[in-house]
Amino acid sequence: MTVAKPLPHDAARLHVTGGARYVDDLPTPPGTLHLAFGLSAKARAKVTLGLEAVRASAGVALVLGPGDLDPMPDCSPSAHDEPLLAMGEAFYAGHPLFLVAAESHLLARKAAAKAEIGYEELDAILTIEDAIAADSRFEDGPRVYEKGDVMAAISRAPHLVEGRVLVGGQEHFYLEGQSALAIPTEDGGMVVHSSSQHPTEIQHKVADALGRAMHDVKVEVRRMGGGFGGKESQGNHLAIACAVVAARTGRPVKMRYDRDDDFVVTGKRHDFRIDYRAGFDGEGRCLGVDFVQYCRCGWSMDLSLPVADRAMLHADNAYLLPAARITSHRLKTNTQSATAFRGFGGPQGMVGIERVMDHAAHVLGLDPLEVRRANYYREAPVAASEASGGSISGKMKGQPLPTADLAGRGSVKVETGSGKATRYGGAHSRVPATAENATPYGMEVTDFILHEMTETLARDCEFEARKAAVAEWNAANPVLKRGIALTPVKFGISFTLTHLNQAGALVHVYQDGSVSMNHGGTEMGQGLFQKVAQVAASRFGLPMERVRITATDTAKVPNTSATAASSGSDLNGMAVKAACDAIRDRIAEVVAAELQAEPAAIVFEDGQVRAGEASMSWEEAIAKTYMARVSLSATGFYATPGIEWDRIAGRGRPFYYFAYGAACSEVVIDTLTGENRILRTDILHDCGASLNPAIDIGQIEGGFVQGAGWLTTEELVWDGAGRLRTHAPSTYKIPACSDRPGVFNVALWDGANREETIYRSKAVGEPPLMLGISVWSALAQACAACGPNWPDLQTPATAEAVLAAVGRARG
Amino acid sequence: MSLSISLTVNGDRCDVDLDDPRVTLLDLLRERMALPGTKKGCDRGQCGACTVLVNGRRINSCLTLAVTLNGAEVTTIEGLAAGEDLHPVQTAFIEHDGFQCGYCTPGQIMSAVGLIAEGQAGDDAERIREGMSGNLCRCSAYHGITEAVQDAARRMASADERKSA
Amino acid sequence: MYSFEFARPGSIDEAVKALKAEEAQALGGGQTLIPTLKQRLAAPSVLVSLSGIAEMQGVCVSDDNALCVGGATPHAVVAKEAAKSFPALAGMASRIGDPAVRNRGTVGGSLANNDPSACYPAAALGTGATIKTNAREIAADDYFQGMFATALDEGEIITEVRFPIPEKANYQKFVQPASRFALVGVFVAKYASGVRVAVTGASEDGVFRWTEAEEALSKDFSAKAVEGLKVSADGMISDLHGPAAYRAHLVGVLTGRAVNAAA
């Protein structure tokens, strides 16, 4: 079996030898033009363009202003509100105003700098407060999801916890900047190489921009140098610009943003202000919570609605809230259009409730972890055979996971414990939304495993003993204070836009028995290609080297969804499995007679096609199938079952299942300066039956560090004129090698997904990011150790913010 | 004005006529020598993706003007392996999962080779993390990177011992 | 970048000649100048590389117990070569930027640029160093003249810097974590003649001597002696990395730390 093995990334050897090519590395055809945008320096202004000097600049082939494009191509992934170039009015500092095509990247940039741009400045709406005051928003009013009578619950509660938390944005800082290369082909066709998580979107938008049908445009993505959500929609502008100029000039056209432009032009994680009021009883149980989420969306809609929805959907995190109201304002501002970023709003929503738990513990004088556990959803009962209930300690690399029986014959036959658990959808009966273990949006939580995970993690990382040691340390040390916190993650898996939960695949078996595999997912470092190839190799019983992974290509697999929402392996793995199984069935039909078995009894393993004692080699079976004139190529398709969601009412089952995790972090702060560091982090994370433990552990480590960076050092600063001042690595601090915890233990929770996902695995891309909240919570604990008052630590918890919180704690 | 320099890149002697003195080593490699393995991350010397060795020392190729390198010996990621045999640092990066998206990997590996040659860090994890901190990895594969450098440092040290024995 | 010409002199004399051209600029390791050129903030017509001048390379200790560093010596070399003779200076050099920057960036480049957040100015002023140029010797106290401003004349080259080796010294840096420049850096050096305290990163006037702390420490070289002292936030840098009050606060904290750590 090739699944469940800790194999390295598919292109490992290429990566370490410099042979792995990204869009910017592709040899450009002779005559390639290079593009640069001219950008608005003002956040909101009527703009007049003087482009004569630009046109006259050396090496310039074409200059396009808004008047030169009719119709103006749209770059929006949602509301058709992003013209490629600002049409008379600039809506943010960084807004593309005009486009230069020149013989080289440098010449294009030099020319763009020569524009004479006139600005008539208008009042800009920059901050959340500005937008609230101006009632500048998307949608008519706020969205509200509600469960129970919140006002009554809070007013009856013996203890009130009230406050505000500012949740910062985050720059993706993919090491590979945005880039695209468009090559015109015969008969008006266009081939686009794009650094995009969403090739179908690029294809669709480019076709629209050119006034062509989608079949005229082919988009290819071999790999990205990181995406993190930042390449879900933000690559549209470059691809469209390249295609438009390529169509006009008949020449290949390439564009990549310089790093500063990438910072200034593209959207980032949404920043939020979350106001909370919650009622608690004396034992730390939450009786009701009222959240108001203010979400800064920037100048255009982009993906802000589903992002803000997901923030609402994670306002409960792991906690059963008897009464809850979540009000979400999606504010329109004159800033970059905030976009998808790993977690897609979920992390912001989760920070809100985790802050409430910490605040309540402080008010009540209780241990924060006890408050958290007192509010957990109830454990969903399962059959004893399903959950082995333990962690796999230490690094898993090199060891297969002893989980379900994954032998690759027939359809996956893993016993599930559905007997006692309640499920929605499919063959399962529907449970009323008012059920006892339900989220604020009425989805029953049937797979909750955090009680046991928390207990296991707390035991393995010696939480109680270390908590006591921290208290002792703090009593003895006036300057350096420590904090320790254990926080949970429950993250919903599926696109909340239900129809996106589909995927296709194309698998060919050639006459020599080699396999070529393609699917709609894109590779950005998350190891998707390897995982899916492992599935294909498993289905056919072949070693990995017999399977070739090919670049994502809209001409091979159409109508794909973005590689996003952590869904890559879940969706594409299943689609590839379907394609492989179709081919397997055909082979079995052909060779059944010779092996004297029913086709259904034939298994594919170890390079053999077998029925009991009788067998033949894979290659022989392939040759026979070919000679029998039976197709060795198949498409596969998958649609996630059982999900339905009404985003306006806030009711339904948006998620197929939840992925869980818990992290314990210990930190130290210097109360004289606010400097801080992570001393140790222990993580226990749920990947179901991991398809590839090495890749999954990498995702968990990376997600945690990125989440911790978001909440500590990664501070985005806009000035009073709306200009982003942190637009380079010299001003925006992402974690470096020396910033990771000194002690860092990651373990996988040992248990199969209760839903029928690919080999019972779980999605892993986004959930671990929110494990970083443990660092922020531990910092708050350390600040609280400095005095009697609530430190009210905000995010990002920079040294300066920590010092301020220490001051507040002291009073 | 034309400036000619002659330098060695991955063991090959190259005579280069620069029509423009502003060409950085990074652009020379990527755009004129067909060596795109060295990556352009920030082009400002702050991310480390463009790290190469010049005369055995690691430098940011985006902050080095090619004209200053007359007579220099440059090693890039493409020149590290001996044919099919990977350099011990390359092998260790594969074995320890020292990357995800791979974009920073050439820089990480060249920086690691430089670090090991500096002989300051040995296989001490803390010093390796500090010594590698100029090379950003947004996927945060830092755990694997640190382990890979540690492992490679040990292997190279014991290979050196065997040689000198 | 704007277009420019390039010169590679092999000696100080040649370099001085080359720098006589209009709008000529010296290029040390280029770790600040090249990004600046890329941002088009500087537009020299001729760049004169100092990296090929052998007589400007190296580290040694003079007879009068000063550490002498050639103007074109990279930080990494200072970090290594001065580790025994002047550990505080070596320690400072070993924490500038990152390893790749330390392999290229030079002491002369750093002092000539006089970035208000650079480390070397604190070391030079904190030790009362002598900045030796092709034309003269300049005392550190006369050399620094505000942000990015120095006593250097047009075309003048720093050929060597002499740092008197103190009895005890230490440099404490609070890093601006993204750039690794000093948000605040304090160099404390104790000599038989008294104590010097130089602060970088903090003031709008660039590196400065904190004379109150010097006086207190000259009487009593202990962290206690500076505990009650405060620097005024007036004239401190306020930017996106920290307001003036925070910087002023850090000056006091770091000075105490430097005294405690002085060796």
Side-chain angles (χ1 to χ4, degrees):
Chain A
M1 284 298 290
T2 48
V3 292
K5 282 202 178 136
L7 302 173
H9 281 72
D10 66 287
R13 194 181 169 93
L14 293 176
H15 285 312
V16 303
T17 54
R21 282 185 172 174
Y22 303 79
V23 172
D24 192 34
D25 303 334
L26 299 174
T28 47
T32 299
L33 289 171
H34 299 260
L35 300 187
F37 281 130
L39 305 178
S40 172
K42 305 293 180 189
R44 191 167 170 216
K46 290 209 184 306
V47 175
T48 47
L49 296 173
L51 301 178
E52 287 320 304
V54 182
R55 290 198 169 90
S57 189
V60 169
L62 182 68
V63 178
L64 296 175
D68 302 315
L69 292 165
D70 186 24
M72 173 64 72
D74 176 68
C75 302
S76 163
S78 54
H80 297 275
D81 59 349
E82 286 192 53
L84 175 64
L85 302 172
M87 298 167 79
E89 185 172 340
F91 291 109
Y92 74 105
H95 201 155
L97 302 176
F98 63 93
L99 183 60
V100 185
E103 301 299 330
S104 78
H105 178 76
L106 190 65
L107 289 172
R109 284 180 60 78
K110 283 177 76 166
K114 292 178 181 166
E116 284 175 25
I117 306 173
Y119 297 99
E120 181 192 327
E121 283 197 70
L122 304 169
D123 284 344
I125 294 167
L126 300 175
T127 64
I128 285 172
E129 284 65 35
D130 290 349
I132 295 171
D135 196 35
S136 172
R137 64 171 71 238
F138 294 101
E139 299 188 301
D140 297 338
R143 289 258 81 75
V144 182
Y145 296 168
E146 204 160 3
K147 173 188 175 185
D149 186 342
V150 177
M151 298 318 285
I154 294 174
S155 65
R156 276 201 303 271
H159 301 279
L160 177 68
V161 175
E162 202 171 6
R164 171 176 295 177
V165 60
L166 305 176
V167 187
Q170 186 174 25
E171 162 64 32
H172 302 85
F173 205 123
Y174 24 66
L175 261 279
E176 177 214 22
Q178 305 275 355
S179 48
L181 169 64
I183 303 168
T185 60
E186 61 183 28
D187 195 21
M190 192 68 68
V191 173
V192 181
H193 297 271
S194 169
S195 177
S196 169
Q197 292 172 239
H198 202 346
T200 291
E201 173 100 323
I202 299 280
Q203 178 196 21
H204 167 215
K205 300 302 291 190
V206 165
D208 269 4
L210 299 180
R212 308 288 298 204
M214 284 175 77
H215 66 199
D216 293 326
V217 179
K218 172 177 130 89
V219 177
E220 192 175 313
V221 180
R222 174 55 187 91
R223 64 172 60 82
M224 281 163 277
F228 316 114
K231 293 173 180 171
E232 188 168 341
S233 63
Q234 304 297 298
N236 293 0
H237 306 68
L238 300 90
I240 290 168
C242 287
V244 165
V245 175
R248 287 215 179 188
T249 60
R251 293 169 69 174
V253 180
K254 178 175 169 177
M255 181 174 206
R256 74 175 165 73
Y257 289 158
D258 274 17
R259 181 59 60 180
D260 290 73
D261 285 354
D262 209 315
F263 265 83
V264 167
V265 174
T266 67
K268 304 156 202 328
R269 184 188 292 286
H270 294 69
D271 49 50
F272 274 62
R273 181 183 115 192
I274 301 176
D275 294 349
Y276 56 88
R277 276 185 92 229
F280 278 79
D281 70 14
E283 279 76 52
R285 273 187 295 268
C286 182
L287 304 176
V289 59
D290 188 17
F291 282 114
V292 185
Q293 301 178 340
Y294 299 92
C295 171
R296 192 165 68 138
C297 303
W299 74 280
S300 71
M301 188 183 278
D302 191 71
L303 303 168
S304 291
L305 301 190
V307 166
D309 288 355
R310 193 172 268 270
M312 300 173 79
L313 293 172
H314 288 80
D316 60 333
N317 191 14
Y319 310 109
L320 175 57
L321 306 170
R325 180 168 64 189
I326 302 121
T327 306
S328 168
H329 299 269
R330 295 89 196 266
L331 303 172
K332 186 174 182 175
T333 53
N334 293 114
T335 48
Q336 290 80 3
S337 184
T339 190
F341 195 138
R342 204 175 192 173
F344 205 69
Q348 293 95 316
M350 217 175 272
V351 163
I353 188 71
E354 291 305 325
R355 154 54 58 108
V356 168
M357 293 295 151
D358 278 344
H359 197 170
H362 191 268
V363 167
L364 299 169
L366 296 172
D367 174 70
L369 182 57
E370 286 320 307
V371 172
R372 287 185 163 90
R373 292 167 85 154
N375 289 289
Y376 272 178
Y377 282 101
R378 277 191 297 287
E379 198 86 18
V382 288
S385 62
E386 187 183 318
S388 62
S391 68
I392 306 165
S393 55
K395 299 288 285 182
M396 273 302 306
K397 293 168 189 180
Q399 301 163 45
L401 275 168
T403 51
D405 173 17
L406 301 179
R409 55 193 83 96
S411 58
V412 191
K413 289 191 184 67
V414 182
E415 292 302 317
T416 70
S418 59
K420 293 179 193 168
T422 315
R423 291 154 187 275
Y424 283 122
H428 304 292
S429 58
R430 187 138 169 55
V431 170
T434 51
E436 282 299 307
N437 209 32
T439 64
Y441 47 93
M443 176 174 166
E444 185 79 356
V445 179
T446 61
D447 57 5
F448 198 77
I449 51 176
L450 274 168
H451 289 280
E452 221 180 331
M453 286 181 76
T454 303
E455 199 173 312
T456 306
L457 176 63
R459 186 187 63 227
D460 291 354
C461 78
E462 300 177 310
F463 181 76
E464 288 303 325
R466 285 168 58 209
K467 198 178 81 185
V470 164
E472 230 171 84
W473 168 278
N474 287 342
N477 288 277
V479 174
L480 300 181
K481 297 287 185 187
R482 293 188 177 194
I484 184 168
L486 194 162
T487 61
V489 171
K490 162 182 142 289
F491 193 79
I493 302 299
S494 290
F495 286 99
T496 56
L497 200 53
T498 303
H499 78 262
L500 294 179
N501 295 288
Q502 60 169 306
L506 177 64
V507 175
H508 302 319
V509 180
Y510 292 96
Q511 292 168 63
D512 64 354
S514 64
V515 178
S516 169
M517 183 201 76
N518 197 275
H519 56 81
T522 54
E523 178 63 45
M524 59 193 112
Q526 82 279 41
L528 172 66
F529 278 22
Q530 183 70 333
K531 282 185 171 181
V532 176
Q534 285 176 266
V535 169
S538 284
R539 300 316 293 168
F540 291 138
L542 293 175
M544 289 298 292
E545 59 270 19
R546 297 294 274 160
V547 179
R548 182 165 179 111
I549 305 164
T550 56
T552 315
D553 183 340
T554 56
K556 289 183 179 163
V557 175
N559 307 326
T560 57
S561 295
T563 307
S566 307
S567 68
S569 308
D570 279 12
L571 297 178
N572 296 291
M574 285 300 246
V576 163
K577 173 175 172 288
C580 292
D581 288 357
I583 296 171
R584 245 171 40 156
D585 288 349
R586 292 183 209 146
I587 298 169
E589 286 287 343
V590 169
V591 302
E594 190 166 328
L595 294 177
Q596 297 181 316
E598 289 299 312
I602 288 172
V603 298
F604 295 75
E605 60 185 17
D606 303 330
Q608 298 286 310
V609 180
R610 268 196 205 115
E613 294 298 299
S615 73
M616 67 176 73
S617 72
W618 163 260
E619 285 74 16
E620 197 182 342
I622 295 306
K624 285 182 192 300
T625 309
Y626 172 71
M627 292 306 289
R629 298 193 291 171
V630 170
S631 166
L632 285 165
S633 171
T635 59
F637 184 78
Y638 176 72
T640 311
I643 46 178
E644 53 172 323
W645 173 239
D646 178 344
R647 64 170 289 269
I648 303 301
R651 278 286 172 278
R653 183 199 186 187
F655 304 122
Y656 190 32
Y657 62 89
F658 293 102
Y660 297 92
C664 175
S665 292
E666 184 175 345
V667 302
V668 62
I669 63 170
D670 185 319
T671 57
L672 297 177
T673 59
E675 289 160 297
N676 55 78
R677 60 182 301 191
I678 310 170
L679 297 171
R680 170 175 169 178
T681 293
D682 295 80
I683 290 171
L684 180 55
H685 196 83
D686 160 37
C687 302
S690 171
L691 283 176
N692 182 324
I695 284 174
D696 283 352
I697 285 177
Q699 286 295 298
I700 295 164
E701 290 171 351
F704 165 81
V705 172
Q706 205 171 61
W710 166 50
L711 294 171
T712 56
T713 65
E714 296 187 32
E715 185 174 33
L716 288 165
V717 179
W718 284 265
D719 67 14
R723 290 172 301 187
L724 181 68
R725 304 317 296 179
T726 45
H727 52 74
S730 57
T731 44
Y732 184 75
K733 163 65 181 168
I734 69 168
C737 200
S738 47
D739 296 313
R740 60 178 285 284
V743 180
F744 194 10
N745 299 310
V746 178
L748 298 182
W749 178 253
D750 176 19
N753 194 339
R754 296 179 193 190
E755 300 295 344
E756 288 179 33
T757 51
I758 184 73
Y759 288 102
R760 299 279 171 178
S761 62
K762 281 194 180 183
V764 70
E766 293 163 294
L769 183 123
M770 286 148 275
L771 298 168
I773 295 173
S774 63
V775 173
W776 180 62
S777 179
L779 287 168
Q781 296 302 321
C783 295
C786 298
N789 305 310
W790 170 236
D792 199 23
L793 180 67
Q794 299 294 330
T795 89
T798 59
E800 194 193 339
V802 167
L803 188 66
V806 167
R808 285 191 290 271
R810 287 177 174 154
Chain B
M1 136 183 204
S2 170
L3 293 149
S4 48
I5 57 165
S6 131
L7 71 173
T8 309
V9 177
N10 297 331
D12 295 332
R13 190 171 171 103
C14 318
D15 296 315
V16 182
D17 272 333
L18 294 163
D19 48 4
D20 186 331
R22 295 166 296 175
V23 175
T24 61
L25 174 58
L26 176 60
D27 287 340
L28 178 71
L29 293 169
R30 286 182 60 82
E31 290 170 19
R32 303 184 189 204
M33 303 186 97
L35 292 170
T38 306
K39 302 303 180 203
K40 187 175 275 193
C42 70
D43 212 20
R44 288 272 200 90
Q46 290 155 348
C47 76
C50 67
T51 308
V52 300
L53 300 183
V54 170
N55 300 327
R57 284 205 304 251
R58 49 186 168 154
I59 56 116
N60 290 316
S61 60
C62 75
L63 289 192
T64 303
L65 296 179
V67 287
T68 63
L69 296 177
N70 195 30
E73 243 180 80
V74 177
T75 309
T76 74
I77 189 72
E78 290 96 338
L80 209 52
E84 285 299 296
D85 295 335
L86 295 181
H87 186 280
V89 174
Q90 292 173 311
T91 307
F93 265 71
I94 295 178
E95 287 178 2
H96 293 276
D97 258 338
F99 50 83
Q100 288 179 23
C101 81
Y103 204 77
C104 72
T105 309
Q108 299 280 359
I109 289 176
M110 297 316 291
S111 190
V113 172
L115 175 69
I116 292 169
E118 286 158 23
Q120 304 282 312
D123 62 357
D124 180 81
E126 187 80 13
R127 299 182 74 170
I128 288 171
R129 283 198 285 268
E130 191 53 43
M132 293 297 292
S133 59
N135 294 82
L136 298 175
C137 169
R138 188 45 153 167
C139 306
S140 300
Y142 294 128
H143 192 87
I145 291 168
T146 309
E147 282 187 345
V149 180
Q150 260 180 311
D151 191 17
R154 281 189 210 117
R155 277 191 245 177
M156 289 167 73
S158 68
D160 285 350
E161 271 168 35
R162 278 201 301 279
K163 265 186 220 156
S164 57
Chain C
M1 277 193 271
Y2 291 91
S3 186
F4 54 83
E5 292 184 22
F6 189 81
R8 288 176 297 207
S11 70
I12 294 172
D13 288 346
E14 283 175 38
V16 170
K17 251 177 236 151
L19 282 164
K20 290 213 162 86
E22 193 139 327
E23 295 291 310
Q25 182 157 10
L27 171 69
Q31 304 302 285
T32 302
L33 184 56
I34 291 178
T36 310
L37 294 178
K38 284 187 180 183
Q39 289 177 86
R40 304 166 149 265
L41 297 174
S45 61
V46 183
L47 267 191
V48 181
S49 171
L50 305 179
S51 58
I53 304 174
E55 55 191 309
M56 282 172 61
Q57 296 272 357
V59 177
C60 66
V61 177
S62 69
D63 294 343
D64 58 350
N65 203 35
L67 189 84
C68 306
V69 182
T73 312
H75 310 320
V77 173
V78 176
K80 202 169 167 189
E81 304 276 314
K84 287 219 171 67
S85 51
F86 195 166
L89 190 81
M92 180 221 68
S94 74
R95 280 173 287 138
I96 295 173
D98 61 46
V101 166
R102 295 195 287 272
N103 279 335
R104 300 283 295 179
T106 66
V107 57
S110 175
L111 291 177
N113 188 44
N114 191 21
D115 186 300
S117 300
C119 297
Y120 258 117
L125 191 61
T127 56
T130 301
I131 288 102
K132 222 180 132 193
T133 75
N134 55 297
R136 58 187 167 145
E137 294 190 354
I138 311 171
D141 285 320
D142 304 324
Y143 176 83
F144 298 103
Q145 304 192 344
M147 263 193 198
F148 299 107
T150 70
L152 290 178
D153 291 328
E154 199 90 346
E156 194 173 2
I157 303 168
I158 297 175
T159 55
E160 185 182 313
V161 185
R162 293 167 178 255
F163 301 92
I165 298 176
E167 294 168 10
K168 280 181 166 188
N170 186 260
Y171 177 67
Q172 290 287 325
K173 168 159 86 160
F174 187 100
V175 292
Q176 191 271 83
S179 70
R180 295 165 166 248
F181 272 90
L183 189 75
V184 173
V186 178
F187 199 101
V188 171
K190 181 176 186 292
Y191 294 92
S193 55
V195 176
R196 291 175 72 103
V197 178
V199 179
T200 188
S203 168
E204 287 175 345
D205 294 330
V207 66
F208 70 96
R209 283 174 69 182
W210 187 16
T211 46
E212 292 91 332
E214 290 183 350
E215 281 162 23
L217 289 169
S218 294
K219 284 183 204 134
D220 172 14
F221 193 74
S222 74
K224 239 186 160 49
V226 288
E227 224 165 54
L229 293 183
K230 284 203 166 44
V231 189
S232 164
D234 290 345
M236 291 285 160
I237 298 170
S238 226
D239 63 12
L240 55 102
H241 303 298
Y246 187 51
R247 280 188 163 87
H249 169 76
L250 290 175
V251 171
V253 175
L254 296 184
T255 304
R257 279 188 192 168
V259 172
N260 278 333

